[in-house]
Amino acid sequence: MEYYDYWDSPLGRILLVASGSALTGVHFSGEKYFPAIASEWIYQPDAKYIVSARTQLAEYFACKRQVFTLKVEPAGTPFQRRVWRALQEIPHGTTTNYGTLAARIGKPTASRAVGAANGRNPISIVIPCHRVIGAAGDLTGYAGGLDRKAALLRLEAEAAGEFQLTSP
């Protein structure tokens, strides 16, 4: 069973989706891969993981949270889930690039595939795909839009007091 609600974040409306056991979606309205509300989904603003996600996201945007403690279950291929797990290891306030992330998961020649998986991340912000930038330090694709990606990186830089490109 999937539950959903909308939350008005500082960067626009977000669709929150959860099962009875984890958060399964955080999507900005208008994002490239915004899901259609399935007929079997239940509008349930007080569902456990919806409430937790809303609370933790509000803390994040208020610069009071740097690490999410939400249980997540992103639906995807084994490769996509591997990339998404690696994204969760990128510290708040830092960035990495697609090549470094590909090497981190043991696929050093798969930076394009890593980029594609990054773009299909169904749990935006919580699984921080916005922390992956181009090799030259440029902002590259973000399903929620480059303006939101830049805003998220600025927010984290402000919260961390600095911003740096990291590599493992």
Side-chain angles (χ1 to χ4, degrees), residues 87-128:
L87 290 173
Q88 292 175 284
E89 297 171 7
I90 304 169
H92 182 277
T94 63
T95 61
T96 192
N97 62 56
Y98 298 98
T100 300
L101 192 59
R104 186 178 295 159
I105 65 165
K107 301 284 187 183
T109 61
S111 59
R112 285 182 183 249
V114 164
N118 193 57
R120 294 303 298 236
N121 171 21
I123 307 178
S124 231
I125 306 171
V126 176
I127 297 178

Side-chain angles (χ1 to χ4, degrees), residues 3-133:
Y3 305 100
Y4 74 97
D5 187 25
Y6 292 96
W7 179 65
D8 291 320
S9 83
L11 297 180
R13 193 163 223 213
I14 292 177
L15 171 66
L16 301 171
V17 185
S19 66
S21 60
L23 183 67
T24 60
V26 175
H27 305 276
F28 282 108
S29 289
E31 77 176 36
K32 187 174 183 178
Y33 300 110
F34 192 82
I37 303 296
S39 61
E40 64 272 8
W41 290 7
I42 299 169
Y43 176 73
Q44 183 105 20
D46 62 348
K48 176 181 177 181
Y49 292 99
I50 299 284
V51 171
S52 296
R54 192 168 39 263
T55 299
Q56 290 192 28
L57 285 165
E59 292 167 352
Y60 169 85
F61 279 108
C63 296
K64 294 179 180 177
R65 174 174 293 276
Q66 294 186 1
V67 176
F68 290 97
T69 58
L70 298 162
K71 183 176 177 192
V72 295
E73 289 178 358
T77 67
F79 179 79
Q80 288 172 326
R81 289 193 306 271
R82 190 171 174 187
V83 169
W84 300 334
R85 279 190 301 275
L87 290 173
Q88 292 175 284
E89 297 171 7
I90 304 169
H92 182 277
T94 63
T95 61
T96 192
N97 62 56
Y98 298 98
T100 300
L101 192 59
R104 186 178 295 159
I105 65 165
K107 301 284 187 183
T109 61
S111 59
R112 285 182 183 249
V114 164
N118 193 57
R120 294 303 298 236
N121 171 21
I123 307 178
S124 231
I125 306 171
V126 176
I127 297 178
C129 54
H130 61 278
R131 295 180 188 155
V132 183
I133 60 175

